[in-house]
């Protein structure tokens, strides 16, 4: 059809404008001249070494009011303990084989599951540390059963971390939260940090503690923790139950003043006398003081929670082995019992009432965790947050005594007078208290008040998981904060997180569903970018599907002349073009060149200089839209033919025996009615063809005039050709009877085959030749089962060699075995032939090589290892249906233009590049994302910001040539603090994972892992050095918007690609590496940090709040659903309530549940219906169908499930979140020193 016509569905934009229709999608313009000089190669990813200094935008911070520091809002300090030596101090035993020895504590601290040691009960949540009694570090520690001995390492960590407050914001001198005098105090914190290790040097761990625990790290830290005597009962973690996250939230609700917390000098606390309820903490005054505030809160009490986290004392028994803890409630983190929860355990935010000052980090150290200083709001009353922080009143009990000095004045709204800490606050750990209802369903103990604070021995404290930044808290806070639709008209505004449901209103920048950036404030200079090491990148998903309540991009038709473009850089007309001279010319926002406006496009300007038709034209007012492309944008200047789909089915012995051939043939009979089309009212114009193969190829003539299909065999696979032209590619409706007859005959024809060998290269060549003969683009659907060992081009050999793993030669296993497929891929791209590969392997098939063509052509790979018709058919058919039906563009070319000062230098995804600027995609579907990295080639200005325009030229599935344009403007900044205030961690992780996974092709795995850790450390060290208020080196201070960078980066490092377990095959690693290369931000987020939901009481319509991915959050009495984007697990606790089991499985007995279930029984009760709805809604959000796996507690399948509890230590040696945070802190300190 003529390209210039509108599509039938076009709907007018705004007023009825003649030219637009609603499009299906947009292409890029293909071949414009490159606006920039050729790129010489990606710049190195980063330079090791400390970030350049000098840049200290906020030097003045300290002086500013806490709340005010802008930065503060950015950071969250995690106090890792004053001078504590590297985290390692605890000396985690290296013994563990883990990759990071530094942090693996022997104890396995993270481990989920019983600690290795005695296997005491699972370690309680860190939060619990028992310091209560702990206080007397020096004293002999009681000998708890040390089961947690293994924990020691943890403990070490704890010690190390003791000091760790995670403060989020730069600590301001006085946290906003606390009234205490800020300024005066600030020094305090310093002191704090400075403070020498406390006298406590921490006694050696009690004997009981297993040796594993290393002695607590530096004494000081530990001591702080306990400086005082046992923590006051109140101290117990009141709310420890709250998830730390809140702390992050701190921003507003909790008064957690991050900064303040950190900031208030502890001295300030001293001011207030302890509340009567709380006994003064004697110790507070003591050394505590020395550490200022942080511990003060309780100083007397056990170490402040925040540090407590890492208290050095003997490990708290509870942690791992506390008998008391008994099974931890699921949600509860370790279900610590009660031994009085050491204050530590509660996160600072948690303190119920007023926080013990100690919790609050000393001023210098921002709140334990505090994430940036909270904005002034922090000062507000704690509001909900704080409340949440507070323990429930009951448990609260008297707040721990704060050292008088420490206590901050109570804030209104705070309980008890301590400033509440955010839940999120890292600082304190809160232990679950038995009495409280857990914050999460299912974790009953979570918030429970601690039982009497038993004087716990000074158990060592390990960093309390509840005192460090929680992904769940950040996700929930963002949901609460997002109430209005997100309007894209404000430049440099970061969108809500991918985990939040929100509506987008396009007002001039592309929707975050199409484009997400790592930073919405770009550094003005290359030096600043190099100093911060924050990657500057955008994840672009050009054809993303929008929700029903958002309008798809409008289709604009400018007729014969085609789209209006800049004369010099060829950028397309967009909202960033400035009309001048009364509207007769326009100045390009990208290159500043002035271009004449064609007469037919002329329009007068209003008094503001805007065209009067601005809002009637999508290209002048919206961030995303499509242009109809003219013949000049078509290959060979010819209007393209409609695309074709060719199905190539392996009919060798393995494929037939597994049932795959029969299933595919039966499904295609109905699926062919659902080929993609833009107008649901019309038939699809896509033509289809069929081929079967083993060692030879069988082509089928399914011409409508035939009574029966005809088979033509090509046995000379070395010189592939298509034996027929007419009758191979046909219209489904015209040839329906012949096609159905063929699909019925294929399974019968090959039912008795004995041929086991297959070819692969000639199969793709056959499909490519057929498309060339028909002069059209299209897609090949290849259903393949085994390594292609038959004599033919592209023949492969089995090269799986486990001995190479971990050596410098391991990278060769990710590279293609032969060059044949690279050449074939290039030919496919030139023709617009996209390949989707469905693999059904029973052994090694060399995915690294077979995947070259699908990955280079913009196709997809689906892998069904050990395919069994009974259990895998549902997943395979759902994937196939979606793959065939989804909207796709063919013969696409994408180019990203930028304004002067930056340029696109590197691209990641499934595509082919023959030059440095054009991303060529034989096929581009709605699930594919391309990640683009930008580098400076000049300075940027804060006034104009930075602009980027992604244009995709493609052929729609109806055969129309179109251009889809997405525009994005971001701010530029000359201060590092502004950069760190406006980043998106999820997008940074998406970029870093793709960068690392591509690096595996040319570097040893260990080098790739080290590079990631180094870059992350440099990003955080630069922030600490240049943007955070001065504070003790023992504090880990994280930018508020990046406080989850360590936990997410650790998930990338522990992934099967970078750190495979013994059971992960080479094919699985190659498959995941290729899969992640084209994921968007939402998919990579849930892949690296899976969603874990407790299934207790459902509220109609809303999902239960997720819990953190750690075994200590699981309760024996609960059921949990875990989603990774590729897998779905239903975990059933051994003591789950009978009524729950009856309503879901139809049986009251745990032992009668069938672990091989892949779908839940359809039962007529509200719980069963709601659970099945939730599972379906999860599946609908993902591009691949997730097969359900029922996991019974302590069943062998639990090992697979545990692999996805990413905050715990992994079986393959990956560090737990707590250990990794300590390790990151050590790396940062090394860079700063």
């Amino acid at each position: 059809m003529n390209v210039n016509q509108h599509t039938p569905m076009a709907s007018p934009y705004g007023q009825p404008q003649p030219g637009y229709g609603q499009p299906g999608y947009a292409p890029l313009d293909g071949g414009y001249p490159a606006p920039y000089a050729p790129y010489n190669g990606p710049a190195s990813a980063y330079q090791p070494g400390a970030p350049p200094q000098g840049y200290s935008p906020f030097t003045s911070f300290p002086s500013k009011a806490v709340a005010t520091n802008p930065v503060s809002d950015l950071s969250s300090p995690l106090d890792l303990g004053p001078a504590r030596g590297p985290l390692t101090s605890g000396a985690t035993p290296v013994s563990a084989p883990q990759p990071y020895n530094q942090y693996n504590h022997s104890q396995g601290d993270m481990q989920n599951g019983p600690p290795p040691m005695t296997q005491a009960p699972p370690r309680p949540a860190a939060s619990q540390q028992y310091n209560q009694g702990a206080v007397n570090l020096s004293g002999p520690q009681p000998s708890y059963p040390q089961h947690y001995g293994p924990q020691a390492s943890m403990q070490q960590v704890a010690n190390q971390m003791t000091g760790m407050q995670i403060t989020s914001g730069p600590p301001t001198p006085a946290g906003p939260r606390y009234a205490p005098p800020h300024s005066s105090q600030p020094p305090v914190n310093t002191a704090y940090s400075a403070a020498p290790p406390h006298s406590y040097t921490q006694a050696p761990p009690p004997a009981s503690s297993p040796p594993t625990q290393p002695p607590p790290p530096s004494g000081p830290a530990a001591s702080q923790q306990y400086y005082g005597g046992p923590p006051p009962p109140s101290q117990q973690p009141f709310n420890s139950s709250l998830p730390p996250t809140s702390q992050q939230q701190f921003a507003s609700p909790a008064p957690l003043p991050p900064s303040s917390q950190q900031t208030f000098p502890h001295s300030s606390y001293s001011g207030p006398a302890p509340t009567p309820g709380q006994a003064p903490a004697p110790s507070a005054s003591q050394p505590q003081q020395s550490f200022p505030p942080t511990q003060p809160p309780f100083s007397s009490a056990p170490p402040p929670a925040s540090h407590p986290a890492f208290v050095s004392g003997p490990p708290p028994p509870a942690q791992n082995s506390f008998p008391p803890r008994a099974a931890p409630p699921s949600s509860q983190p370790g279900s610590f019992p009660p031994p009085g929860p050491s204050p530590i355990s509660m996160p600072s935010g948690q303190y119920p009432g007023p926080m013990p000052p100690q919790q609050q980090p000393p001023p210098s150290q921002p709140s334990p965790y505090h994430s940036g200083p909270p904005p002034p709001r922090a000062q507000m009353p704690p509001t909900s947050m704080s409340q949440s922080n507070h323990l429930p009143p009951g448990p609260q009990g008297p707040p721990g005594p704060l050292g008088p000095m420490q206590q901050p004045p109570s804030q209104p709204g705070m309980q008890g007078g301590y400033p509440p800490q955010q839940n999120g606050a890292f600082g304190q750990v809160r232990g679950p208290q038995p009495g409280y209802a857990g914050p999460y369903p299912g974790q009953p103990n979570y918030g429970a008040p601690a039982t009497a604070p038993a004087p716990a021995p000074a158990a060592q404290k390990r960093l309390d998981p509840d005192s460090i930044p929680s992904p769940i808290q950040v996700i929930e806070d963002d949901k609460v904060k997002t109430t209005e639709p997100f309007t894209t008209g404000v430049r440099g505004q970061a969108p809500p997180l991918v985990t939040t449901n929100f509506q987008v209103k396009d007002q001039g920048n592309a929707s975050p569903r199409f484009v997400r950036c790592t930073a919405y404030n770009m550094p003005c200079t290359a030096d600043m970018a190099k100093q911060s090491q924050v990657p500057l990148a955008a994840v672009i998903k050009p054809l993303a599907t929008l929700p029903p309540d958002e309008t798809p991009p409008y289709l604009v038709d400018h007729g014969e002349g085609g789209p209006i473009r800049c004369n010099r850089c060829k950028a397309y007309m967009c909202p960033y073009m400035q009309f001048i001279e009364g509207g007769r010319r326009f100045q390009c926002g990208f290159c500043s060149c002035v271009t004449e406006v064609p007469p037919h496009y002329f329009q007068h300007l209003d008094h503001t200089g805007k065209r009067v038709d601005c809002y009637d034209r999508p290209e002048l007012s919206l961030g995303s839209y499509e242009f109809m492309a003219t013949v000049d944008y078509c290959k060979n200047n010819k209007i393209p033919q409609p695309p074709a789909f060719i199905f190539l089915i392996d009919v060798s012995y393995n494929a037939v025996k597994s049932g795959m051939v029969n299933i595919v043939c039966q499904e295609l009979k109905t699926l062919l009615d659902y080929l993609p089309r833009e107008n649901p009212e019309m038939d699809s114009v896509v033509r289809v063809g069929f081929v079967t193969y083993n060692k030879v190829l069988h082509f089928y003539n399914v011409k409508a005039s035939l009574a029966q299909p005809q088979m033509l065999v090509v046995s000379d696979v070395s010189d592939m050709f298509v034996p027929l032209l007419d009758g191979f590619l046909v219209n489904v409706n015209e040839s329906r009877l012949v096609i159905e007859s063929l699909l019925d005959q294929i399974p019968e024809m090959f039912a008795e085959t004995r041929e086991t060998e297959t070819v692969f290269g000639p199969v793709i060549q056959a499909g490519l030749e057929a498309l060339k003969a028909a002069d059209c683009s299209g897609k090949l659907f290849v259903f393949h089962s085994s390594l292609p060992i038959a004599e033919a081009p592209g023949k492969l050999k089995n090269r799986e060699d486990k001995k190479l793993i971990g050596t410098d030669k391991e990278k060769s296993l990710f590279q293609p075995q032969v060059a044949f497929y690279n050449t074939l891929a290039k030919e496919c791209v030139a023709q617009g032939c996209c390949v989707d590969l469905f693999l059904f392997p029973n052994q090694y098939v060399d995915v690294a090589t077979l995947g070259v063509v699908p990955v280079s052509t913009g196709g997809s790979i689906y892998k069904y290892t050990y395919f069994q018709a009974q259990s895998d058919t549902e997943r395979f058919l759902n994937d196939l249906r979606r793959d065939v039906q989804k909207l796709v563009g063919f013969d696409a070319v994408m180019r990203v233009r930028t304004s002067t000062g930056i340029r696109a230098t590197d691209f990641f995804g499934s595509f082919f590049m023959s030059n440095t600027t054009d991303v060529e995609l034989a096929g581009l579907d709605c699930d594919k994302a391309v990640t683009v990295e930008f580098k400076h080639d000049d300075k940027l200005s804060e006034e104009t910001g930075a602009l980027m325009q992604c244009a995709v030229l493609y052929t729609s599935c109806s055969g129309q040539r179109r251009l889809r344009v997405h525009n994005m403007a971001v701010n530029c900044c000359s201060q590092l603090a502004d950069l760190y205030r406006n980043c998106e961690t999820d997008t940074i992780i998406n970029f870093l994972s793709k960068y690392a996974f591509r690096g595996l092709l040319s570097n040893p795995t260990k080098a790739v892992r080290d590079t990631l850790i180094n870059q992350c450390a440099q990003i955080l060290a630069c922030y600490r050095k240049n943007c955070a208020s001065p504070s003790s080196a023992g504090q880990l201070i994280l930018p508020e918007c990046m406080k989850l960078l360590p936990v997410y980066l650790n998930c990338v490092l522990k992934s099967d690609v970078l750190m495979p377990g013994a059971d992960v095959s080479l094919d699985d690693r190659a498959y995941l590496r290729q899969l992640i290369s084209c994921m968007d931000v939402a998919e990579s987020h849930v892949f690296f940090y899976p969603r874990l939901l407790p299934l207790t009481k459902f509220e109609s319509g809303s999902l239960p709040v997720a819990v953190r991915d750690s075994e200590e959050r699981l309760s024996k009495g609960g059921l949990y659903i875990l989603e990774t984007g590729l897998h779905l697990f239903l975990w059933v606790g051994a003591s789950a309530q009978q009524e729950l089991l009856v309503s879901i499985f139809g049986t009251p007995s745990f032992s009668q549940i069938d672990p091989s279930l892949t779908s839940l029984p359809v039962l007529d009760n509200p719980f069963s219906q709601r659970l099945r709805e939730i599972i379906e809604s999860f599946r609908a959000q993902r591009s691949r169908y997730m097969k359900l796996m029922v996991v019974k507690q302590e069943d062998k399948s639990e090992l697979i499930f545990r692999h996805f509890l990413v905050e715990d230590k992994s079986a393959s040696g990956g560090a737990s979140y707590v250990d990794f945070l300590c390790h990151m802190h050590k790396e940062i300190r090394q860079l700063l020193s």
Side-chain angles (χ1 to χ4, degrees), residues 206 214 272 406 420 482 530 537 665-666 730 794 901 921 992:
Q406 325 187 181
T482 307
K530 184 175 176 180
C665 292
Q666 290 309 308
V730 298
L921 302 117
L992 290 177

Side-chain angles (χ1 to χ4, degrees), residues 843-1116:
Q843 70 260 327
Y844 178 73
V845 292
D846 199 352
V847 174
T849 304
L850 298 188
V852 168
V853 177
V855 168
S856 305
T857 59
S860 307
I861 304 173
Y862 297 85
K863 184 163 169 283
Y864 309 90
T865 311
Y866 305 119
F867 179 81
Q868 291 180 317
Q870 186 182 353
S871 60
D872 297 313
T873 300
E874 185 182 22
R875 177 164 81 102
F876 163 53
L877 291 182
N878 276 282
D879 283 343
L880 177 60
R881 286 167 192 151
R882 180 179 163 89
D883 197 56
V884 168
Q885 295 175 42
K886 66 187 173 189
L887 282 177
V888 59
F890 297 95
D891 236 342
V893 185
M894 172 172 129
R895 180 170 295 181
V896 178
R897 293 183 171 78
T898 52
S899 54
T900 310
I902 54 167
R903 62 194 175 108
T905 57
D906 211 351
F907 301 85
F908 302 83
S910 294
F911 53 75
F912 178 80
M913 292 187 78
S914 54
N915 58 37
T916 58
T917 54
D918 296 334
V919 175
E920 300 173 47
L921 302 117
L924 173 61
D925 63 52
C926 56
D927 297 325
K928 294 287 183 299
V930 176
T931 297
V932 185
E933 183 179 15
F934 301 98
K935 289 263 167 59
H936 287 77
D937 55 10
D938 201 347
K939 287 187 176 168
L940 294 167
S941 86
E942 296 190 56
E943 292 74 51
T944 56
L947 310 178
M948 63 189 87
Q949 182 180 77
C950 164
V952 188
L953 176 68
Y954 71 101
T955 301
S956 71
C957 49
S958 60
Q960 250 181 13
R961 200 70 176 150
R962 294 188 185 162
L963 265 160
R964 176 166 290 199
V965 180
H966 296 298
N967 300 291
M968 190 75 190
V970 298
N971 285 335
C972 294
C973 58
S974 55
Q975 299 291 311
L976 281 169
D978 293 328
L979 164 64
Y980 283 102
R981 190 178 287 113
N982 215 5
C983 292
E984 190 174 56
T985 302
D986 295 329
T987 312
I988 291 173
I989 290 294
N990 179 284
F991 171 81
L992 290 177
S993 62
K994 292 176 181 181
Y995 176 83
F997 291 179
R998 186 177 67 184
L1000 287 175
L1001 295 173
S1002 48
N1003 302 284
T1005 308
K1006 181 178 187 310
V1008 171
R1009 297 163 46 79
D1010 291 346
T1011 301
L1012 278 177
I1013 294 171
N1014 184 36
Q1015 182 165 5
C1016 180
Q1018 289 199 39
I1019 290 171
L1020 300 175
C1022 176
Y1023 174 79
R1024 170 67 183 262
K1025 178 176 171 187
N1026 299 292
C1027 309
S1029 321
S1031 58
S1032 132
Q1035 246 174 333
L1036 170 58
I1037 300 185
L1038 305 173
E1040 174 59 16
C1041 68
M1042 283 193 201
K1043 63 187 173 194
L1044 299 181
L1045 187 61
V1047 62
Y1048 290 162
L1049 184 79
N1050 189 35
C1051 296
V1052 175
L1053 293 169
K1054 289 162 64 170
S1055 65
D1056 287 335
V1057 181
L1058 291 179
M1059 187 181 290
D1063 56 337
V1064 180
S1065 70
L1066 202 60
D1067 275 346
D1068 285 327
R1069 295 176 68 195
Y1071 166 69
L1072 291 174
R1073 194 187 77 76
Q1074 293 166 343
L1075 184 64
I1076 287 157
S1077 71
C1078 55
M1079 277 187 177
D1080 68 4
V1081 182
E1083 291 175 313
S1084 62
H1085 177 272
V1086 77
F1087 177 84
F1088 289 117
Y1089 194 91
R1091 176 154 62 156
L1092 180 63
L1093 294 187
L1095 302 178
T1096 47
K1097 294 278 186 293
F1098 285 137
E1099 316 236 335
S1100 58
S1102 65
L1103 290 173
V1105 175
V1107 296
R1108 293 169 66 173
D1109 292 342
S1110 172
E1111 190 170 25
E1112 60 186 24
R1113 308 282 169 173
L1114 302 177
S1115 157
K1116 272 191 163 177

Side-chain angles (χ1 to χ4, degrees), residues 47 65 218 243 254-255 268 463 550 581 590 668 711 733 816 822 876-877 908 928 946 1156 1225:
Q47 337 25 53
S218 49
S268 51
L463 186 48
E550 291 177 24
E581 296 178 21
F590 297 90
L668 286 179
M711 178 165 84
N733 286 334
N822 298 79
F876 163 53
L877 291 182
F908 302 83
K928 294 287 183 299
S1156 64
H1225 186 222

Side-chain angles (χ1 to χ4, degrees), residues 197-554:
H198 243 172
S199 38
Y200 281 119
T201 53
Q202 353 189 192
S208 59
S209 48
T212 53
Q213 317 206 212
S218 49
S223 51
Q224 296 176 219
Q225 310 252 215
Y226 313 96
Y227 297 131
S234 59
Q235 244 166 239
Q236 270 111 99
F238 320 99
N239 21 214
S240 28
S241 55
L242 305 179
T245 47
S246 58
Q247 127 202 357
Q248 316 178 233
Q249 336 176 190
F250 75 107
S252 51
L256 144 144
S259 54
S260 64
Q261 306 195 234
Q262 40 200 139
T263 53
F264 34 63
H266 83 282
S267 59
S268 51
Y269 291 106
S270 57
T275 43
Q278 345 164 160
S283 52
S285 61
Q286 321 188 297
Q288 224 178 255
Q289 263 178 262
S290 41
F291 304 127
T294 58
Q295 18 174 130
F298 314 81
S299 30
S300 53
S306 65
H307 310 109
F310 330 74
V311 97
S312 34
Q319 281 194 226
N320 272 203
S321 42
F322 233 67
R325 58 221 263 72
S330 84
S331 76
Q332 241 135 22
S335 94
F336 294 65
S342 57
I344 297 176
S345 48
M346 47 252 286
S348 53
Q350 321 222 179
Y351 283 119
M355 258 172 128
Q358 151 170 24
Q359 292 177 185
Q360 320 199 230
S364 70
Q365 45 201 63
S367 57
Y369 190 11
H370 82 300
S371 303
R377 5 155 139 115
Q379 316 209 191
M380 323 170 28
T383 65
S384 58
M385 193 170 307
S386 53
Q387 312 196 252
S388 45
N389 299 233
H390 307 132
L391 314 180
Q396 254 178 237
L402 297 182
M405 59 195 334
Q406 325 187 181
Q407 309 190 221
S410 48
Q411 296 242 305
M414 296 170 102
Q415 320 187 232
Y418 299 83
Q421 196 126 4
Q422 307 281 231
N423 302 163
F426 292 38
Q428 299 349 144
V429 189
R430 62 219 204 182
Q433 311 276 238
Y436 288 83
Y440 307 117
Q443 314 170 143
N445 309 276
Y446 222 154
T451 50
Q460 346 191 157
K461 308 192 160 162
R462 114 184 205 246
L463 186 48
D464 174 13
D466 282 324
S467 65
I468 56 183
S470 157
I472 305 305
Q473 186 74 43
V474 172
I475 289 168
E476 292 303 316
D477 290 351
D478 190 71
K479 289 178 180 173
V480 170
K481 195 171 74 183
T482 307
T483 52
E484 299 290 314
F486 176 72
T487 54
T488 69
V490 182
R491 187 179 81 190
Q493 183 182 12
L497 300 179
V498 287
T499 43
T500 300
N501 281 324
F502 59 98
Q503 187 184 5
V504 179
K505 293 197 171 164
D506 187 340
Q507 293 184 354
N509 278 317
S511 160
R513 304 192 203 287
F514 295 123
V515 183
R516 274 189 181 265
C517 301
T518 54
Y520 289 87
N521 273 351
M522 282 227 177
C524 285
T525 65
D527 288 346
M528 188 173 157
K530 184 175 176 180
Q531 183 180 356
S532 74
Q533 287 290 323
V534 174
L536 303 178
V539 179
I540 305 173
K541 195 174 177 184
L543 303 187
T545 320
L546 299 180
D549 60 351
E550 291 177 24
T551 314
Y554 289 95

